[in-house]
Amino acid sequence: MTDELLGDEQLTGQVIGTYVSDPVTGFGVIELELDTGDGARCVGPLASLVEGDAVRVVGRWTSHPRYGPTFEALLYEHLVPSTAEGLASFLAGERFAGVPELARARVLTTFGAGTGRVLDHQPERLTEEAGLAAADAAELLRAWAGGRALADLVRLVAPVRWPRDVVTSVHARFGPEAAALARTDPYVLLEADRARFAHVDALARHLGVDASDPARLAAGARAAVDAARQRDGHEHLLRHAAVDAASQLLGVDRILAAEGLERAVATGTLVSEDLSGEEVVTTPAARRSEVRLAADLQRVATASPTRLAHLAEGLELSGELTDGQRAAVLAAVRSPLSVLTGGPGTGKTRTVEELVRHAEEADHAVALCAPTGRAAKRLEELVGRPATTVHRLLEARPDGEGGFVFRYGRTEQVPFDLVIVDEVSMCDTWLAAQLVAAVEDGAHLVLVGDPDQLPSVGPGDVLRDIVAAGVVEVTALTEIHRQAAGSRIVSLAREVLSGSIGALAAVDGDVFVAEEGDRRRIVPRVVQAVAERVPAHLGIDPGDVQVLAPVYRGPAGVDALNAGLKAALNPGDGRNEVAGFHVGDRVLQTRNDPELDVANGDVGTVVDLDRRRGELRVAFPRGEVTVDRRAAANLTAAWAVTVHKSQGGEWPVVILVVDRSHRGMLWRNLVYTGITRARQALIVVGQVEALRGAARQDRPRDRRTGLEHRLRELAATAPTPS
């Protein structure tokens, strides 16, 4: 039998077993006893089903490599019995265990075979006629609706073909109310984590919402600003740019787009302000983060007295330090807020080590942190002191809604006299705001980073803005140390920054060039280098090689590289897997997960798995964690990663892919970031001319942010110390 709407097969029967039930993702595995007496193993959005449920399941038959014939469900719906006897059995099931037996009996006695109709259309009669207590009636209705909510939502969105992860995200966020909200106020569904404007708008238009509907225009304006922030890293848009973006997203003229923008501002989903003489538009949360970050940076910078100032007198620094390093240490103890910048080989880490040593000798409490576990682990190894992620320092914990909250912030601050943050260029505005808010008055905050690297993946340009504002003491290290002076990796990085790359031989010190003009040959050459040439000629294991590329797609992109490297280094070959991963796979975390204490950008290796439980055991830089099927949705292959995702990391060998087809992403700071990830050897695969072209392309500082302006404004209006 097939479903009339979806055109898929359908099964009817009773649930006689539940094997997997994930309430977060909605994924479930059940055993169904069919009306014919046969059994069927069903998988899909079935987590809310319990034993005894009579259901109709819509989907298609597939063949599982281990379990054989398996019915992959798209949706299900309950088959409510039509007789009083059937209803009595149904209401006695596990789903209604929270409803007192006496209350269920009253409902059946009062309404008999019409119970289902009352529950669906006349719920007020439960209290008025059956005499149920309000709490019992509410629990009965919740249980009745809960079993049908996901199926109702799936059926509602089926004509516009929502992806499964969007359906489960909306269901997880809104529960039984999701389908009703979709019909009455569809754009509120944008609050769900995975829902995008294209998904929600397609549904709204299908349900009859007009293109010029004010609610649609306002939602589109907000979505356009959100998209610019997430895609391009802006903290705000100029008003005319926001109107243009909204017009394009909504497919309407600028007049209607402007009306939508004004409505969004009037209703508070967007905010507008004058910044440096320009009218800008952003989200309330984005503006709040930037304003608070500026205010807290000013608070830390002007606090008095400070806890390390006494160290400045008679400070005996190591004779190994350069003048720049000495100046940086003195700045850090004299000023409660200071910045230390420099490229590879300039001695930032040695400077931090010296500062920490003096602070600890004076019995000051010191915290070292970085935005990702990988960067924190590297900092810990280089400085020889414990380091942690920013999230762990602030004690992030899940908030119960898929996000997280921090223990430490403005109301309870971290108990340290000196807080040192490495790789600050990776911190977006929001994370930086959370961190600086948690620093006590009088404590010293040292921000360390390389402003020539790529800015953060998230919105903002924090390190560059702080340096450019000119209101904080900044020490820029430029002198290359002797141990790094002979490195071609270091000199190549400096040449890239200068905009002109000198002669580059096939074998040039610790830099190797594999010239390849045919992009279809790039993946095979990279695979050969990782699997054969690097181990044979450099004596380095493939696990210590990281492949980087500017883009995901295309014959020389990250996706193609991952497929080729996986096939060569760790083929599946019918082995057990969970969420598509096998033991030995290298994986990348794509979202912060405070519950697991892993950060966006952390790279790990699958060391074990439990197929029956749907769990992976992954070794990340900070230790091993167990990842369930829900959390595995935030993992992706990491044999190759984008240069953006490599920030904060360093590997013995880096293979950097540069091809003419990547020209839209080949900018000076991108290739500089990729080059400086290599510790012992850099292998460039592609065309040297593409690398030279990238060095010439000094991408304008095109992120629109307001932190620099806000810092200058606060400094100009700050009271003069007496």
Side-chain angles (χ1 to χ4, degrees), residues 152-203:
D152 289 346
L153 179 62
V154 171
R155 183 169 288 280
L156 179 67
V157 303
V160 293
R161 299 185 178 278
W162 274 17
R164 179 174 293 178
D165 66 326
V166 177
V167 176
T168 54
S169 174
V170 169
H171 178 256
R173 172 67 178 80
F174 296 103
E177 305 300 320
L181 283 171
R183 293 184 176 94
T184 58
D185 188 10
Y187 294 102
V188 76
L189 303 184
L190 287 168
E191 295 176 17
D193 185 43
R194 304 274 182 178
R196 300 292 178 263
F197 184 78
H199 303 135
V200 175
D201 192 48
L203 177 62

Side-chain angles (χ1 to χ4, degrees), residues 24 50 77 84 118 136 160 163 250 344 359 516 563 608 622 639 644 702:
V24 177
V50 297
E77 59 185 5
V118 170
D136 292 341
V160 293
L250 289 161
E516 180 55 71
D608 197 6
R622 306 299 301 176
W639 306 101
H644 276 88
D702 57 358

Side-chain angles (χ1 to χ4, degrees), residues 16 25 455 660 721:
I16 59 174
T25 65
R660 288 182 295 271

Side-chain angles (χ1 to χ4, degrees), residues 211 223 319 606 634:
V606 178
N634 297 325

Side-chain angles (χ1 to χ4, degrees), residues 514-533:
E515 182 74 23
E516 180 55 71
D518 184 353
R519 67 180 63 102
R520 294 169 299 180
R521 289 286 307 151
I522 287 178
V523 170
R525 294 196 68 173
V526 168
V527 170
Q528 183 184 40
V530 175
E532 301 173 17
R533 292 187 173 275

Side-chain angles (χ1 to χ4, degrees), residues 15 108 112 135 175 194 215 222 291 321 349 360 421 460 519 563 567 662 697:
V15 179
L108 289 168
R194 304 274 182 178
R222 166 63 190 254
V291 167
L321 301 184
T349 302
E360 289 184 339
V421 191
R519 67 180 63 102
H662 302 158
Q697 296 297 317

